[in-house]
Amino acid sequence: MAGAHSVRVAVAQMTSINDLAANFATCSRLVKEAASAGAKLLCFPENFSYVGDKDADNIKIAEPLDGPIMQGYCSLARESSMWLSLGGFQEKGSDDARLCNTHVLLDDAGNIRSTYRKIHFPVGRLDPTVCYDLRFPELYQQLRFQHEAQVLLVPSAFSKVTSQVHWEILLRARAIETQCYVIAAAQAGKHNDKTESYGDSLIIDPWGTVVGRLPGENWLIIPNISQ
């Protein structure tokens, strides 16, 4: 198309565990790899910073967005001069028994630019969602046709059984019906004795074609997205 430009996008796939420091080290390494490859946006999966062995663990480590956990990721974005999509952060809720599963977008200066709100980025207009939202097509149609989204972000930690049947089909459907790019960063592998995620991170173009796929763990796919 006339005036089209390409932006390099990276998708991270990882196996988060119940160790904040270990997960941050993994994310730091992936940020450095993506920056070296020229990526301008790196998308992490849901629960990138922590996966607890039980729900109480997630509540225990939850922090506000201005706490030290998120500020560490802000520093990563700033030091790498790269936007980060951080899907599924355990944000402290209204009381000690509650938390929010918050998708945070950081700009390349390390500023929080969106928490589940639309935003404009050089890739186009980005709209973040989280995991289970994928099953509600009306949400994505609203983002596309009312908020003019061009890229839909779907960080996830889908279970292995469900994903084998539904994951790719739902993602491709959302891309086709909205005519948007869909970027789906996924958790992969066994987090603990009870929890295992499917993986298969995908980037899908507006025609529903898979233009990037990541079946393994802790690697990156970096296609150019044209707008």
Side-chain angles (χ1 to χ4, degrees):
M1 68 180 72
H5 66 280
S6 295
V7 175
R8 180 156 284 190
V9 174
V11 176
Q13 186 162 282
M14 58 190 296
T15 308
S16 297
I17 58 175
N18 62 343
D19 187 325
L20 289 165
N23 296 329
F24 184 78
T26 297
C27 291
S28 297
R29 176 175 59 81
L30 292 170
V31 166
K32 291 177 181 177
E33 291 180 13
S36 296
K40 300 299 182 184
L41 167 67
L42 173 58
C43 300
F44 282 103
E46 185 180 18
N47 299 330
F48 63 97
S49 63
Y50 188 83
V51 171
D53 291 341
K54 50 186 182 296
D55 289 343
D57 295 338
N58 295 312
I59 294 173
K60 184 177 180 179
I61 62 92
E63 289 186 355
L65 296 181
D66 59 358
I69 298 175
M70 182 55 65
Q71 290 308 301
Y73 288 92
C74 290
S75 295
L76 284 183
R78 182 168 55 252
E79 292 164 4
S80 63
S81 298
M82 185 164 52
W83 286 59
L84 299 181
S85 166
L86 304 174
F89 176 72
Q90 290 94 346
E91 182 184 8
K92 188 175 178 60
S94 57
D95 57 56
D96 291 341
R98 300 176 185 274
L99 61 78
C100 298
N101 187 1
T102 304
H103 188 167
V104 180
L105 283 171
L106 304 179
D107 67 19
D108 53 6
N111 301 309
I112 295 176
R113 292 292 298 272
S114 175
T115 55
Y116 214 112
R117 293 189 298 267
K118 68 180 180 181
I119 190 166
H120 192 264
F121 175 75
V123 166
R125 186 159 303 270
L126 291 173
D127 274 280
T129 60
V130 178
C131 198
Y132 193 74
D133 294 338
L134 184 60
R135 297 186 180 279
F136 302 96
E138 295 84 359
L139 169 63
Y140 294 90
Q141 291 170 17
Q142 181 181 27
L143 293 175
R144 172 65 181 94
F145 299 111
Q146 295 185 25
H147 299 288
E148 300 182 347
Q150 295 169 296
V151 180
L152 302 172
L153 305 178
V154 191
S156 298
F158 256 64
S159 70
K160 194 170 184 178
V161 173
T162 303
S163 293
Q164 289 173 338
V165 181
H166 296 161
W167 175 242
E168 183 176 334
I169 292 173
L170 289 173
L171 290 168
R172 293 179 69 185
R174 299 298 85 85
I176 293 168
E177 68 198 10
T178 61
Q179 289 293 283
C180 289
Y181 278 92
V182 172
I183 302 176
Q187 290 279 348
K190 197 167 185 177
H191 308 283
N192 52 53
D193 291 340
K194 298 179 180 179
T195 307
E196 184 175 4
S197 295
Y198 183 66
D200 199 27
S201 297
L202 297 170
I203 296 180
I204 300 169
D205 73 12
W207 280 86
T209 302
V210 175
V211 296
R213 182 188 297 271
L214 187 57
E217 299 176 14
N218 293 334
W219 293 92
L220 299 162
I221 43 178
I222 311 180
N224 288 335
I225 287 182
S226 299
Q227 290 293 326

